[in-house]
Amino acid sequence: MNLSVSSIDDLSKRVLAAAAEHTRHFPDPSPGRQPLHTVYVPADRFGPSTPQDFGAEALRLINNHTPGVGSFGAAFGIQPDLAGTVRERVAAKLATEPIEDLRIDFEDGYGVRSEAEEDAHVDQVVEAVAVAYELKTLPHFWGLRVKSFTDGGHERSMRTLDGFLTSLRDRLGRLPGGFVITFPKTVMPEQVAIFADYLTRLESALGLPVGVLQFEVQIETAEAVVNHRGELGLRPILEAAAGRLTGAHFGVFDYTAAIGLPPDEQRLDHPACDFARNVMQVSLVGTGVRLSDGSTNAVPRSDSAEHVSGTWATHAEHVRHSLRNGFYQGWDLHPAHLPSRYAVVYAFHLTGIDEDLARVKAWREHSQRQGGVLEEPATVKALNARLRRAVDCGALESSAVQ
């Protein structure tokens, strides 16, 4: 060696400093389970039994329209060798945990009401949430979508959130876990910074721990993707959230309308949406912010086989498109979306599962699988993440990956 250890000490310190700076911007992924969907329910239609009502209706649709394994597989495009297992596990999921993540909607799905009417619905929602919590029927993840600061609804947004949290504290004495706020139609980081400041004040007034009120932004404007300076817009939004941002959800219809797509092209699998989602991925990968795709607006017009199967076919293809592009969470709006959501996600995770398990096992045992495939560490990490998601959502028994 031409250089002594002491002569490169300063370089080693710089390497460590650079690593620490990288970790500050790109921490480990968010720990714990990520829900595979978020179900939006207008505030005036939410009651304590809403999650169970969605599950019961979804089960009814499965039993009425896909009574056997063959019809179930055909309805959702699932291979015959998997259809029976998937049908059984989907039915069990709908009976026990039909909604993984619930968002009680005071924005687009709810509309603009008078002050008195929205205040009354806030009180109604507080009681419904409290009863569901006491009955242990409140989903693991849940929260509110408030009105947008972009549309001039900022004061109503803050009033609704304050009224809800204050009344829930008085009713239950605590804030149930899993609570998150959805902040829609973000166009400027300054909006996010203001909302974060408001949450700090609200925590202080309510006696809540600092930082307990977290939120997700909806990426449904062109300005959120590319800002007014021509820069990618997501990182400034993340920084403005001051550590409170847990997720970024893509808003299909507002986004496609904003960039000028005609109504019949405003759909989740349009290439313009792929571009926005790719920007979300490269901007937020490694930050711990979870990504969610948007919704399908197709719902059955009646209980006829034609209308139900048509909805399932459209929704199933959209869910597949999201999964193929690395978006493992999406929005659902109707009980008919639950069968296609779970069926496609479960089939996605179970297809080739034995091969995936063998690949991970071979890597752990430092052995080469037959066929001479040498796994890359990044690929094995992705395989482990896939197995974890399969267990978390109920597609796979946890014993299979031990």
Side-chain angles (χ1 to χ4, degrees), residues 59-67 303:
L59 271 173
R60 186 192 70 81
L61 290 171
I62 284 180
N63 291 330
N64 282 6
H65 296 283
T66 60
D303 197 40

Side-chain angles (χ1 to χ4, degrees), residues 7 21 40 47 87 94 103 120 134-136 148 154 180 204 215 222 249 272-273 277 283 287-288 313 357 369 389 396:
S7 69
E21 179 69 5
Y40 281 80
R87 190 184 194 284
L94 293 173
R103 207 63 76 245
E134 291 166 344
L135 294 175
K136 296 182 170 38
S148 167
H154 52 283
V180 66
S204 177
F215 65 97
H249 291 215
C273 296
R277 284 187 291 259
S283 297
T287 64
L357 290 168
R369 296 186 306 115
R389 291 189 195 97
L396 187 66

Side-chain angles (χ1 to χ4, degrees), residues 300-330:
R301 296 198 303 272
S302 74
D303 197 40
S304 71
E306 177 186 3
H307 291 163
V308 173
S309 62
T311 295
W312 280 346
T314 299
H315 186 241
E317 187 51 41
H318 287 171
V319 174
R320 285 192 187 89
H321 187 84
S322 298
L323 293 170
R324 286 194 295 263
N325 285 278
F327 275 70
Y328 301 103
Q329 182 178 348

Side-chain angles (χ1 to χ4, degrees), residues 161-162 164-166 168-170 173-176 179 181 198-214 244:
L161 189 56
D162 188 346
F164 173 79
L165 290 173
T166 299
L168 191 65
R169 179 202 61 184
D170 295 344
R174 66 185 303 274
L175 176 64
F179 178 74
I181 306 151
Y198 169 69
L199 295 181
T200 299
R201 297 183 190 186
L202 197 53
E203 287 167 345
S204 177
L206 291 169
L208 294 171
V210 175
V212 73
L213 296 179
Q214 299 184 322
R244 294 182 183 273

Side-chain angles (χ1 to χ4, degrees), residues 142-204:
W142 68 285
L144 302 186
R145 177 164 72 166
V146 295
K147 286 181 168 57
S148 167
F149 280 20
T150 299
D151 295 334
H154 52 283
E155 292 185 354
R156 181 65 251 187
S157 175
M158 291 186 278
R159 178 184 176 94
T160 291
L161 189 56
D162 188 346
F164 173 79
L165 290 173
T166 299
S167 296
L168 191 65
R169 179 202 61 184
D170 295 344
R171 173 68 169 77
L172 289 179
R174 66 185 303 274
L175 176 64
F179 178 74
V180 66
I181 306 151
T182 303
F183 188 69
K185 294 184 179 65
T186 307
V187 296
M188 297 285 284
E190 287 77 6
Q191 293 174 324
V192 174
I194 293 166
F195 190 60
D197 286 347
Y198 169 69
L199 295 181
T200 299
R201 297 183 190 186
L202 197 53
E203 287 167 345
S204 177

Side-chain angles (χ1 to χ4, degrees), residues 38-317:
T38 302
V39 174
Y40 281 80
V41 178
D44 58 321
R45 301 180 198 170
F46 176 73
S49 66
T50 295
Q52 289 65 46
D53 294 343
F54 266 56
E57 173 62 7
L59 271 173
R60 186 192 70 81
L61 290 171
I62 284 180
N63 291 330
N64 282 6
H65 296 283
T66 60
V69 172
S71 58
F72 181 87
F76 303 111
I78 299 173
Q79 299 173 4
D81 59 324
L82 280 180
T85 299
V86 171
R87 190 184 194 284
E88 177 182 339
R89 293 181 185 178
V90 168
K93 181 74 170 182
L94 293 173
T96 57
E97 191 188 28
I99 294 177
E100 290 196 352
D101 185 21
L102 169 73
R103 207 63 76 245
I104 303 166
D105 191 13
F106 282 94
E107 203 231 1
D108 281 353
Y110 174 75
V112 178
R113 314 290 182 98
S114 69
E115 293 290 333
E117 187 176 9
E118 185 156 337
D119 286 344
H121 285 139
V122 169
D123 291 340
Q124 174 184 311
V125 167
V126 166
E127 183 60 23
V129 167
V131 171
Y133 174 72
E134 291 166 344
L135 294 175
K136 296 182 170 38
T137 59
L138 190 66
H140 184 80
F141 302 99
W142 68 285
L144 302 186
R145 177 164 72 166
V146 295
K147 286 181 168 57
S148 167
F149 280 20
T150 299
D151 295 334
H154 52 283
E155 292 185 354
R156 181 65 251 187
S157 175
M158 291 186 278
R159 178 184 176 94
T160 291
L161 189 56
D162 188 346
F164 173 79
L165 290 173
T166 299
S167 296
L168 191 65
R169 179 202 61 184
D170 295 344
R171 173 68 169 77
L172 289 179
R174 66 185 303 274
L175 176 64
F179 178 74
V180 66
I181 306 151
T182 303
F183 188 69
K185 294 184 179 65
T186 307
V187 296
M188 297 285 284
E190 287 77 6
Q191 293 174 324
V192 174
I194 293 166
F195 190 60
D197 286 347
Y198 169 69
L199 295 181
T200 299
R201 297 183 190 186
L202 197 53
E203 287 167 345
S204 177
L206 291 169
L208 294 171
V210 175
V212 73
L213 296 179
Q214 299 184 322
F215 65 97
E216 61 205 10
V217 291
Q218 288 192 261
I219 305 306
E220 46 190 338
T221 67
E223 301 95 309
V225 177
V226 178
N227 67 23
H228 60 290
R229 297 188 184 93
E231 305 162 341
L232 298 183
L234 272 295
R235 293 300 295 212
I237 287 172
L238 171 61
E239 292 164 7
R244 294 182 183 273
L245 192 65
T246 61
H249 291 215
F250 182 57
V252 174
F253 299 101
D254 281 275
Y255 182 79
T256 52
I259 63 173
L261 295 189
D264 58 345
E265 290 294 337
Q266 293 174 13
R267 51 187 170 83
L268 182 142
D269 55 354
H270 193 283
C273 296
D274 291 338
F275 167 76
R277 284 187 291 259
N278 288 340
V279 171
M280 291 172 66
Q281 286 171 311
V282 299
S283 297
L284 297 175
V285 64
T287 64
V289 175
R290 291 170 166 170
L291 302 181
S292 174
D293 213 340
S295 62
T296 297
N297 63 357
V299 297
R301 296 198 303 272
S302 74
D303 197 40
S304 71
E306 177 186 3
H307 291 163
V308 173
S309 62
T311 295
W312 280 346
T314 299
H315 186 241
E317 187 51 41

Side-chain angles (χ1 to χ4, degrees), residues 335-357:
H337 291 161
L338 301 188
S340 38
R341 171 72 62 183
Y342 287 119
V344 171
V345 171
Y346 282 19
F348 174 82
H349 286 311
L350 293 176
T351 298
I353 192 67
D354 292 337
E355 173 72 5
D356 289 349
L357 290 168

